[in-house]
């Protein structure tokens, strides 16, 4: 009889552990089902051939000349896979001990926002945004107005659906455009950030000139590429 309280405590601990695991397992299975279903109904499979042709060409000249097709095709094919396995922030972050993957991503993005020194009302550009995970997180952290730019229309559509779903579509919007020829006026943004994106530009000087054109004089730019 003396062992019953100990047995009950063990049972309770096991039950609590099972409950704690149930939600992430359920969400993981749900996301996997959604991802696999999207593959079976995808209308983007025809992009594979053109992407392979450009990627397998002997010279890089063709890829650079037709970089918009190469990038657009890649993200048409890869975005749903990225979101399934990675979440909505398509970048890396140092992960500290006892920190979850999600916590590491948020900490990284909040650190970025702190370096930019942005706050409520600031007009910020995310240059190369994926489906806008960092844009939404940084908006929630700072109350800044964030415009997120991507070449890929599928990412624009998906990101704006997520903005609406998360209740921030009035302050965060995704825009389709080429960061080599941005659809924004001169001196328009109070800050610009680019997370692991400008490394994909066919001409680094070109993309940095465009960033400086749309950024207000003396205002901060924060970017890096792995």
């Amino acid at each position: 009889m003396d062992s019953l309280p100990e047995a009950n405590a063990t049972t309770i601990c096991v039950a609590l552990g099972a409950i704690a695991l149930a939600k992430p397992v359920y969400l993981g299975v749900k996301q996997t089902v959604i991802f696999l279903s999207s593959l079976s109904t995808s209308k983007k499979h025809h992009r594979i051939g053109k992407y392979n042709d450009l990627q397998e060409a002997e010279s890089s000249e063709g890829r650079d000349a037709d970089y918009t097709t190469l990038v657009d095709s890649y993200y048409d094919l890869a975005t749903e896979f990225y979101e399934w396995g990675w979440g909505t922030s398509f970048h890396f972050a140092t992960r500290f001990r006892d920190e979850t993957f999600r916590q590491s991503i948020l900490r990284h993005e909040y650190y970025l926002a702190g370096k930019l020194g942005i706050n409520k009302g600031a007009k910020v550009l995310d240059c190369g945004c994926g489906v806008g995970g960092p844009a939404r997180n940084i908006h929630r952290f700072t109350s800044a107005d964030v415009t997120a730019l991507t070449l890929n229309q599928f990412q624009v559509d998906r990101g704006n659906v997520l903005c609406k779903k998360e209740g921030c579509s009035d302050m965060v919007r995704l825009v389709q455009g080429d960061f080599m020829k941005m659809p924004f006026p001169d001196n328009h943004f109070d800050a610009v950030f680019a997370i692991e994106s400008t490394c994909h530009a066919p001409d680094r000087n070109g993309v940095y000139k465009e960033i400086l054109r749309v950024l207000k004089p003396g205002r901060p730019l924060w970017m890096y590429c792995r």
Side-chain angles (χ1 to χ4, degrees):
M1 294 294 293
D2 293 341
S3 63
L4 283 178
E6 182 179 345
N8 287 339
T10 301
T11 302
I12 291 171
C13 289
V14 170
L16 290 174
I19 291 170
L21 287 172
K23 184 175 181 180
V25 169
Y26 166 75
L27 292 175
V29 171
K30 180 181 177 181
Q31 191 67 25
T32 299
V33 170
I34 293 171
F35 170 64
L36 293 176
S37 297
S38 72
L39 290 183
S40 64
T41 59
S42 176
K43 298 179 180 179
K44 300 186 290 291
H45 294 163
H46 68 282
R47 305 298 301 272
I48 295 174
K50 183 61 176 177
Y51 174 79
N52 286 340
D53 289 344
L54 289 168
Q55 196 67 272
E56 294 170 3
E58 293 184 6
S59 171
S60 63
E61 293 179 3
R63 289 194 296 273
D64 290 345
D66 202 8
Y67 72 91
T68 56
T69 299
L70 179 69
V71 173
D72 196 38
S73 298
Y74 176 79
Y75 284 112
D76 262 358
L77 297 167
T79 294
E80 289 168 302
F81 181 71
Y82 276 20
E83 189 176 344
W84 167 68
W86 208 342
T88 58
S89 293
F90 300 165
H91 65 80
F92 296 97
T94 302
R95 186 172 173 182
F96 297 149
R97 184 176 180 179
D98 298 324
E99 187 177 50
T100 67
F101 172 75
R102 174 67 175 165
Q103 288 168 341
S104 72
I105 291 292
L106 288 173
R107 173 182 47 75
H108 186 82
E109 292 169 357
Y110 295 166
Y111 175 80
L112 182 160
K115 284 293 186 180
L116 286 173
I118 53 179
N119 48 35
K120 186 175 182 179
K123 289 181 181 280
V124 180
L125 173 65
D126 178 352
C127 187
C129 65
V131 294
R136 287 185 294 276
N137 292 334
I138 287 173
H139 158 69
R140 280 190 287 265
F141 185 62
T142 65
S143 297
D145 183 288
V146 185
T147 298
L149 183 72
T150 174
L151 185 64
N152 182 255
Q153 187 62 48
F154 176 74
Q155 291 186 334
V156 171
D157 296 340
R158 174 60 179 158
N160 283 330
V161 165
L162 292 172
C163 289
K164 186 174 182 179
K165 181 179 179 181
E166 296 177 21
C168 59
S169 57
D170 58 331
M171 295 293 287
V172 183
R173 83 285 309 161
L174 276 71
V175 176
Q176 193 279 330
D178 181 355
F179 58 23
M180 302 293 292
K181 297 173 288 187
M182 293 194 214
F184 308 118
D186 296 354
N187 307 325
H188 186 64
F189 293 102
D190 298 304
V192 178
F193 66 90
I195 305 177
E196 299 175 22
S197 59
T198 57
C199 55
H200 302 295
D203 174 18
R204 305 291 173 82
N205 289 333
V207 68
Y208 296 151
K209 283 176 64 176
E210 270 295 273
I211 289 173
L212 291 176
R213 179 184 68 79
V214 302
L215 184 62
K216 293 177 181 178
R219 300 303 297 162
L221 161 65
W222 196 97
M223 62 181 154
Y224 76 95
C225 290
R226 293 270 180 175

